[in-house]
Amino acid sequence: MFEINAIAINSILAVIITVIVCFIISTLLPGIERKYIHARIQQRIGPPVTSPGIMAPIKFLFKENIKPSSPVPGLYNALPVICFLVVLFLFIALTPYAYAIPALASLVAIVGLLKVEEICYVLMGALSKSVMSVRMPFPDRVKGAAHLNTTRSFIEDISARRSLRMITYGSFPLYLALFAPVTQARSIFLQDIVSYQQAHGPFLFTVAGGIAAVVFFIGYMIMLNEYPFSIIKAKCDVIEGPYMEYASKYRSVVFITRGFLMLTLGVLFSVLFIGIPPTVFSPTILLNIFVVLVFVLMMGIFSAFTPVFTNRQLLPSILGATLLGILAVVIGLL
């Protein structure tokens, strides 16, 4: 019994240390993207590497908080924290120490956690009814105005509808790419997928894996709401979208969560397509970090040269990626 407890304690400590190390690395990723990719492409100096992921969250912690105009302000303010916890549980599920809990270390759990993260954006937009914390519905209800029976809308409403649209069909490519390795391992559990690749080689180096990797990258950008798929927070029309009303510590959590999600999705790829789970007690974690940096590099280059897609470009792009994902699954089954 004592030996079992010691193993459990060691596993918990290993998970905590791995999370802390990877979290620290994740705070540098937004700065690397903006400093060494966007700034270089746009031929400017760019911010310090520590600015977007470390200094910005610290700065917002010391700013004055506001009371949002929301029908459920408590839930509205809790949503960024829920997003962070979802990403944290997602990362823990990818560590080899979580493989003893099949309910957590499975693709069903991974997809479920990602869906919760997506739904939070819908709720953020639906629960915020203000513009910069001041209720400004439009059109104005002025005596004698010609818009008495017009349905009023808010910027966040637009973002919520777009978020729901992205949940409906926008995330299809990513989920198809996630299940592509199942065609080889014949299992939805991460332990089986990792073990199969360690015995037979990375899934990435197969025809199905190569196609699925392209689809995964497209889904990666969609999940991060990055250009050209950033319709839910496009600064050209909905400004910050679901994030607009968050201030102080809540906006700080938003900044932190984005960097952590960038790292977690990169680690997810290395687990499913290369068979390398993250642990600080193995030199293979360097490969996890390398994969994360490659994804950040590709996303930065791709987003720097693309505008925001409208529905006219968005639908064909997602449909094309979805068809590629289906092709990867079919080839993997053959």
Side-chain angles (χ1 to χ4, degrees):
M1 180 65 69
F2 176 77
E3 183 178 355
I4 295 176
N5 290 336
I7 294 174
I9 292 174
N10 290 336
S11 297
I12 293 173
L13 289 176
V15 170
I16 293 174
I17 295 173
T18 302
V19 168
I20 292 174
V21 171
C22 290
F23 175 76
I24 293 173
I25 295 173
S26 74
T27 60
L28 299 174
L29 298 181
I32 292 174
E33 180 191 16
R34 293 182 58 183
K35 174 72 173 181
Y36 295 113
I37 304 173
H38 285 175
R40 293 297 180 268
I41 292 174
Q42 298 167 359
Q43 298 182 356
R44 56 185 176 85
I45 297 177
V49 174
T50 57
S51 179
I54 299 177
M55 301 311 298
I58 294 176
K59 177 185 71 174
F60 280 110
L61 282 176
F62 291 94
K63 288 187 175 292
E64 181 182 0
N65 195 21
I66 60 174
K67 183 178 180 180
S69 179
S70 170
V72 191
L75 176 59
Y76 178 74
N77 283 331
L79 288 172
V81 180
I82 294 174
C83 280
F84 176 79
L85 292 176
V86 166
V87 178
L88 176 62
F89 287 135
L90 177 59
F91 180 83
I92 292 174
L94 299 176
T95 62
Y97 314 103
Y99 294 171
I101 311 174
L104 178 62
S106 71
L107 285 181
V108 173
I110 297 297
V111 170
L113 289 171
L114 289 173
K115 274 299 179 185
V116 172
E117 197 264 347
E118 286 187 286
I119 291 172
C120 283
Y121 299 133
V122 180
L123 294 177
M124 287 177 186
L127 295 178
S128 179
K129 302 297 181 184
S130 61
V131 177
M132 304 309 291
S133 305
V134 179
R135 294 184 65 86
M136 296 177 61
F138 56 86
D140 294 334
R141 294 187 299 175
V142 181
K143 183 177 181 180
H147 309 287
L148 296 179
N149 297 319
T150 302
T151 302
R152 291 182 294 143
S153 182
F154 298 85
I155 290 178
E156 292 92 335
D157 290 332
I158 300 172
S159 180
R161 289 194 295 270
R162 292 180 179 179
S163 299
L164 184 60
R165 187 185 310 156
M166 295 300 286
I167 289 178
T168 305
Y169 61 82
S171 52
F172 274 0
L174 179 66
Y175 299 131
L176 285 170
L178 293 183
F179 280 95
V182 175
T183 60
Q184 301 289 315
R186 297 296 193 270
S187 174
I188 64 171
F189 297 104
L190 299 183
Q191 183 175 14
D192 296 333
I193 295 174
V194 169
S195 298
Y196 179 87
Q197 293 182 88
Q198 290 177 348
H200 299 87
F203 176 64
L204 175 63
F205 300 139
T206 65
V207 176
I211 297 174
V214 175
V215 178
F216 183 96
F217 174 68
I218 296 173
Y220 169 87
M221 297 191 66
I222 291 173
M223 289 298 298
L224 288 170
N225 302 313
E226 188 56 77
Y227 286 92
F229 304 104
S230 60
I231 63 169
I232 74 171
K233 61 180 185 66
K235 293 179 174 58
C236 59
D237 56 359
V238 293
I239 314 176
E240 286 296 310
Y243 302 132
M244 187 171 65
E245 294 303 314
Y246 288 110
S248 188
K249 54 182 176 292
Y250 304 109
R251 181 165 285 272
S252 179
V253 174
V254 168
F255 275 79
I256 292 173
T257 302
R258 174 175 170 78
F260 200 25
L261 182 59
M262 291 170 69
L263 180 135
T264 301
L265 291 177
V267 171
L268 177 60
F269 180 88
S270 64
V271 170
L272 295 180
F273 287 78
I274 305 178
I276 303 297
T279 171
V280 293
F281 300 107
S282 172
T284 55
I285 194 172
L286 297 176
L287 182 58
N288 295 130
I289 297 172
F290 175 76
V291 171
V292 169
L293 292 175
V294 168
F295 269 85
V296 172
L297 174 66
M298 293 192 303
M299 181 178 68
I301 294 174
F302 196 73
S303 63
F305 288 103
T306 55
V308 178
F309 280 175
T310 64
N311 285 329
R312 181 172 296 180
Q313 296 89 34
L314 190 67
L315 288 173
S317 301
I318 293 177
L319 178 60
T322 301
L323 293 176
L324 279 178
I326 295 173
L327 177 63
V329 172
V330 171
I331 293 176
L333 291 172
L334 295 179

